Each structure stands twice: as structure tokens, then as C-alpha cells.
Amino acid sequence: MTNPTGFRAITRSRRNAAGGNVILPPTVRPCPRTELFSVLLVADHPPLREAISARLHAMGAGPVHQAASVAEARARAGRSGPCDLGVLDLGLSDGGGLDLVTELRSRGWRQLVVLGCSDDPHTVREVFRAGAQGYL
């Protein structure tokens, strides 16, 4: 299908700011990111950290700072400054995963995703109230 601009309309699930479909020229193809993004990954299970870190690197992440506890996460966050993304396990062995979300948000971290195993609506609500952008 061709529109008056000569570009083929490609329907995507994402909408533009005006609410319409994104229209791209036919020569545009999705490609991996060319810029690297930094990540703080906080989880107390080494196999989980390794798997997520490998996937993030495959997606174009640059440095992935890993921490196994809240204390270690605070130290790494202090050294690295705000990263582009924080991925935090809610159920850390030394507790305080929710407090860590609040603390990182107050330090200027903009993108925080929380990993949790609870489907309790109260817990999920508290994660978002603390400032997380996602809950998995």
C-alpha cells in the first residue's frame, strides 16, 4: 500500500504521539542499537544475574554492574552514578528491595524495573508507588 508521500505504510503495535500508526519508508529495517546503555542489575541468585546480564549484552547493553545485595547495590550505584536502566530483585536476602527503588529514584535513576514473584496487588502497587516503571 502506498500513501501520498510515497512511503509504504507499516502497521506496528506502537503508535506515534498523535495516536496514528508509524509510517516508515520501505528501506528502513529494524536494527540493533548502535549506542550502548548502562545497567545496574541487582539479584541475589548468580544464575539469574548471569542469564539477565547475557541477554542485556545481546540487546546492546554496555556496562552491566552486578550486585547481590542491597548494600552492594548502594555501593555500585554510588560509584557508577545513575545508569540508563536498573533491574532490581524485590526479594533480596538482606531485604530492602523496595527501599532501594525509592533511594535510586531520589538519586536521579529514571528507568527501574523490579523482578518479583508476588502477584499480590498491594505489593505490585507499592513497587510502582516507590517509583519503578515496570514489574516482572
Side-chain angles (χ1 to χ4, degrees):
M1 170 190 274
T2 304
N3 64 21
T5 63
F7 296 123
R8 185 181 65 190
I10 299 174
T11 304
R12 304 211 183 206
S13 60
R14 197 168 80 194
R15 303 262 181 195
N16 63 18
N21 289 333
V22 176
I23 298 175
L24 300 172
T27 57
V28 174
R29 301 278 184 255
C31 62
R33 293 176 59 117
T34 57
E35 67 208 39
L36 300 178
F37 59 97
S38 60
V39 179
L40 173 66
L41 173 58
V42 185
D44 54 359
H45 300 311
L48 178 63
R49 278 197 320 270
E50 291 169 13
I52 293 173
S53 178
R55 185 65 186 137
L56 288 166
H57 280 296
M59 294 172 60
V64 177
H65 308 281
Q66 296 185 29
S69 67
V70 172
E72 188 179 352
R74 285 183 175 126
R76 291 195 184 278
R79 284 193 303 270
S80 71
C83 291
D84 297 312
L85 174 65
V87 180
L88 316 169
D89 187 353
L90 188 60
L92 296 169
S93 57
D94 60 347
L98 196 59
D99 294 333
L100 184 59
V101 172
T102 305
E103 184 178 329
L104 292 176
R105 286 293 290 175
S106 70
R107 290 184 180 183
W109 290 63
R110 297 178 51 177
Q111 301 295 323
L112 298 171
V113 175
V114 173
L115 305 174
C117 60
S118 174
D119 62 353
D120 173 39
H122 176 71
T123 302
V124 176
R125 188 176 311 117
E126 289 303 311
V127 166
F128 286 107
R129 283 187 180 154
Q133 283 69 47
Y135 181 84
L136 302 171

